[in-house]
Amino acid sequence: MCAHNPPCPVAEAPDREAARPVTHRFEQGWSLLCNGVLLFEDTGELLPDGRVIAPHRPLELMRVVA
């Protein structure tokens, strides 16, 4: 899927969020990465195979906001 050099991490890789964004929909709160991952503003993810990754905001950030 990725045509970048060096290629972006695949959707199954732990660092999949480092892939380049292809499309942003800020008003809807999501971005499509070049590896096919839908990344949501709450840090949740939808992988190309349909698996869902629950939001995983850092706890430190949540303490500051709360």
Side-chain angles (χ1 to χ4, degrees):
M1 211 180 236
C2 177
H4 302 111
N5 193 5
C8 292
V10 296
E12 293 77 25
D15 60 345
R16 63 183 152 261
E17 294 175 15
R20 292 187 188 182
V22 177
T23 304
H24 297 285
R25 293 290 182 249
F26 296 115
E27 70 280 1
Q28 296 177 356
W30 59 268
S31 297
L32 174 64
L33 305 180
C34 72
N35 57 6
V37 172
L38 273 174
L39 180 63
F40 296 94
E41 68 181 12
D42 68 354
T43 69
E45 302 171 24
L46 180 61
L47 303 184
D49 64 4
R51 285 183 292 153
V52 174
I53 306 296
H56 49 277
R57 290 187 174 139
L59 292 177
E60 254 336 282
L61 179 63
M62 292 177 73
R63 286 188 197 129
V64 171
V65 174

